[in-house]
Amino acid sequence: MTYYVGPVANLIRELHKLPGIGPKSAQRLAFFILQLPVAEAQRLAEAILVAREKISYCSICGNLTDQDPCSICRDEARNPALICVVEQARDVIAIEKTRNYRGRYHVLQGALSPMDGIGPEKLRITELIDRIQNGGVQEVILGTNLNPEGDVTAMYLAKLLKPSGVRVTRLAHGLPVGGDLEYADELTLSKSLEGRREM
Amino acid sequence: MGFYKTEAVVLRNRDFREADQLVTLFSLDYGKIKAVARGARKPKSRLRGGIQAFTWNDLMLHTGRNLDIITGCDIRRSFYFREDLDKLTNALYWADLLERILPEREANPALYALFINFLQVLDSLPDNPKMTDDYRVLSHLFELKLANLAGYRPDLNQCGYCQKPLTPAKGRVWFSLGLGGVVCPVCVQAPEAGFLPLSLGTLKIMQYWLGMPVQQFYRLKVTKSNRQELKRILPAFLEYYLEQGISSGKLVRDLGDNLP
Ligand SMILES: [Zn+2]
Ligand SMILES: [Zn+2]
């Protein structure tokens, strides 16, 4: 990077900080930006700034929002007795796309990960307990990822919430749509057997 | 090397590039390997099941430019403990220790066998939330046996200073992190930095553990005070030799403590 003059090196360095962007991609993006018309580069820079300034976390559910509380937490038509706990704001989008869920959310902003030094205090767990203690919650659906971090988080929360008396459920581990049975791993297959439904 | 085969347990996998996963393996023939499972995040991938954490596999790999490529897997069994918080978190702790302690591409068949053994013992324990203490003892046993097979066997029989065998008469000795073993109460009399108090009872447990098959871990009575000493000594010993902080062990223990 020392081959580049200051501003170019700086741009590459900043882009390199983005997730999934290696040094080569950072260079490619930097050169793309450098050949943009100034007006377009300005729009890009502004879009980043405005989004960063206007968007914050909802004080209730932790989702990304431009208003506090967010539109889902303000929506009277959504069942406040049902909370789906997810790791990230992008998981809210994924569930919203199903158009099948009418409860509310709680975004933890991460998952427990002993290997990465992420303990309960780094997640929005106290906020979740507070919401439940304030009353009115009947069921918490644990929608964390189906990997070690997500499973540790779900089991930890299930144990933590048990004394509060709310019903705690976990998203079923099913077969992926379009997944051939013969390629499904044994865990997925046995989980989808357990989670089978009446037809 | 082109194509090669080995038996391995998955220590960890992470999302990598668009649809791939980067997998850390503990293999029988090549020790720790980092390899890419291409397309493994797609639902139809044949590799998906085999590269999940704690899956015991027969793998086919191909040498790559930087990272090797996993081309096929045949699952022996999964040690992924999805239903038991203690089992899963302790297994994660062991995997974290192995990831840190194992050099890349250096076979250690004895340590590999030990790890499989520990996973089998963990699997054989009943799912019981009241057994947290047993899991902790098992994790301390893992720490000691891991240190031993990774080349850091602590000297538990003679004083690291005067070289005299420890006489069982005295109530307390020291464990020296720097000397990697015990020191007698004649050579060190008052507490000093890097010297951890060690009761003879706990010392005997450690001596016995070094030669004991993993399967027998529950046969030896480990009291709460033994456990506290083991907790102070063994993780610190590993951290001292690896020259790095290892937060996973404490985090796993705290997770259990914080629960109602
Ligand atoms: Zn909200
Ligand atoms: Zn001595």
Side-chain angles (χ1 to χ4, degrees):
Chain A
M1 244 184 273
T2 45
Y3 306 112
Y4 300 115
V5 288
V8 182
N10 199 20
L11 180 60
I12 294 174
R13 197 163 44 240
E14 291 305 316
L15 290 168
H16 183 32
K17 289 180 188 166
L18 298 174
I21 303 293
K24 285 236 174 71
S25 306
Q27 265 178 49
R28 206 160 32 85
L29 288 172
F31 286 117
F32 174 80
I33 291 167
L34 288 174
Q35 53 83 45
L36 287 176
V38 173
E40 220 169 297
Q42 213 143 33
R43 273 201 295 280
L44 175 64
E46 245 157 59
I48 293 174
L49 270 179
V50 170
R52 184 61 196 85
E53 276 165 13
K54 288 244 168 90
I55 300 293
S56 60
Y57 294 114
C58 171
S59 58
I60 298 173
C61 70
N63 195 5
L64 290 174
T65 179
D66 55 352
Q67 278 174 300
D68 192 20
C70 73
S71 59
I72 295 178
C73 287
R74 276 184 290 122
D75 187 347
E76 300 279 328
R78 300 195 69 130
N79 185 358
L82 189 59
I83 295 181
C84 181
V85 178
V86 294
E87 293 179 19
Q88 305 289 352
R90 59 172 179 266
D91 302 326
V92 172
I93 312 277
I95 296 178
E96 284 298 282
K97 277 188 184 158
T98 67
R99 296 162 171 247
N100 210 353
Y101 178 68
R102 296 305 295 161
R104 310 219 173 161
Y105 292 94
H106 192 86
V107 183
L108 294 171
Q109 291 168 3
L112 294 174
S113 178
M115 306 84 90
D116 302 307
I118 301 176
E121 73 290 341
K122 296 200 175 148
L123 307 177
R124 296 183 69 259
I125 290 179
T126 328
E127 289 88 339
L128 176 64
I129 306 287
D130 287 348
R131 278 178 85 178
I132 290 164
Q133 275 170 354
N134 287 342
V137 179
Q138 282 163 5
E139 180 175 349
V140 172
I141 303 169
L142 299 172
T144 51
N145 288 334
L146 306 179
N147 54 27
E149 294 80 12
D151 283 328
V152 167
T153 309
M155 283 192 278
Y156 177 78
L157 286 177
K159 288 193 174 190
L160 200 65
L161 299 179
K162 204 160 200 181
S164 71
V166 294
R167 178 167 186 234
V168 180
T169 54
R170 178 92 165 104
L171 285 186
H173 308 218
L175 291 167
V177 175
D180 284 348
L181 228 65
E182 73 169 304
Y183 300 142
D185 60 286
E186 43 180 320
L187 261 174
T188 307
L189 208 51
S190 69
K191 280 286 131 195
S192 44
L193 261 173
E194 281 171 36
R196 68 189 186 277
R197 293 170 40 183
E198 216 71 54
M199 287 188 73
Chain B
M1 197 155 47
F3 281 102
Y4 64 100
K5 284 182 186 179
T6 185
E7 174 193 325
V9 178
V10 177
L11 295 180
R12 195 174 187 187
N13 63 8
R14 291 162 241 235
D15 289 348
F16 189 61
R17 300 200 198 111
E18 195 67 7
D20 305 344
Q21 294 222 289
L22 178 61
V23 186
T24 309
L25 301 160
F26 186 7
S27 69
L28 171 62
D29 304 293
Y30 307 95
K32 183 170 78 177
I33 305 174
K34 285 191 177 164
V36 179
R38 284 194 183 144
R41 289 162 72 189
K42 294 181 184 154
K44 281 191 180 180
S45 165
R46 292 176 187 227
L47 295 175
R48 237 170 113 98
I51 58 155
Q52 301 308 314
F54 308 114
T55 310
W56 183 15
N57 279 306
D58 290 299
L59 290 173
M60 278 283 293
L61 294 108
H62 190 268
T63 315
R65 225 171 352 133
N66 299 315
L67 294 157
D68 288 1
I69 314 291
I70 300 175
T71 56
C73 62
D74 195 358
I75 300 176
R76 292 190 177 200
R77 63 175 301 182
S78 167
F79 290 108
Y80 188 79
F81 305 105
R82 180 161 280 158
E83 313 285 342
D84 188 309
L85 183 62
D86 285 314
K87 286 187 183 180
L88 180 54
T89 52
N90 279 285
L92 285 170
Y93 173 47
W94 304 346
D96 184 45
L97 287 177
L98 284 168
E99 233 196 314
R100 290 168 191 268
I101 214 164
L102 292 172
E104 283 197 37
R105 295 206 166 265
E106 227 174 82
N108 191 334
L111 185 49
Y112 178 81
L114 181 86
F115 183 45
I116 302 256
N117 238 314
F118 265 87
L119 291 172
Q120 283 167 332
V121 167
L122 198 55
D123 191 34
S124 71
L125 295 176
D127 291 346
N128 181 348
K130 293 205 178 89
M131 298 212 4
T132 306
D133 291 349
D134 278 3
Y135 294 122
R136 289 180 185 192
V137 172
L138 197 58
S139 266
H140 289 317
L141 178 62
F142 184 79
E143 288 160 350
L144 183 66
K145 290 202 169 274
L146 170 71
N148 179 31
L149 290 179
Y152 311 119
R153 184 189 178 98
D155 189 347
L156 301 173
N157 295 313
Q158 54 180 28
C159 169
Y161 279 140
C162 66
Q163 310 297 327
K164 285 182 193 153
L166 288 178
T167 48
K170 305 277 184 317
R172 210 165 250 291
V173 295
W174 305 96
F175 188 91
S176 159
L177 296 177
L179 295 170
V182 286
V183 171
C184 77
V186 179
C187 289
V188 174
Q189 282 157 10
E192 269 179 54
F195 290 82
L196 305 165
L198 173 60
S199 69
L200 284 178
T202 307
L203 174 61
K204 275 198 190 125
I205 289 173
M206 289 168 70
Q207 288 169 335
Y208 185 72
W209 271 4
L210 276 176
M212 181 192 76
V214 184
Q215 281 77 359
Q216 292 175 11
F217 93 98
Y218 57 88
R219 287 202 191 163
L220 205 60
K221 175 119 182 82
V222 180
T223 65
K224 196 172 174 203
S225 82
N226 295 145
R227 224 170 50 231
Q228 276 165 349
E229 283 185 296
L230 292 167
K231 183 173 91 178
R232 268 198 301 271
I233 291 169
L234 291 172
F237 180 57
L238 288 173
E239 286 189 335
Y240 186 91
Y241 277 94
L242 289 175
E243 295 179 342
Q244 51 180 296
I246 305 169
S247 59
S248 51
K250 186 180 181 309
L251 238 148
V252 164
R253 288 190 297 272
D254 286 351
L255 274 188
D257 289 341
N258 290 339
L259 285 170

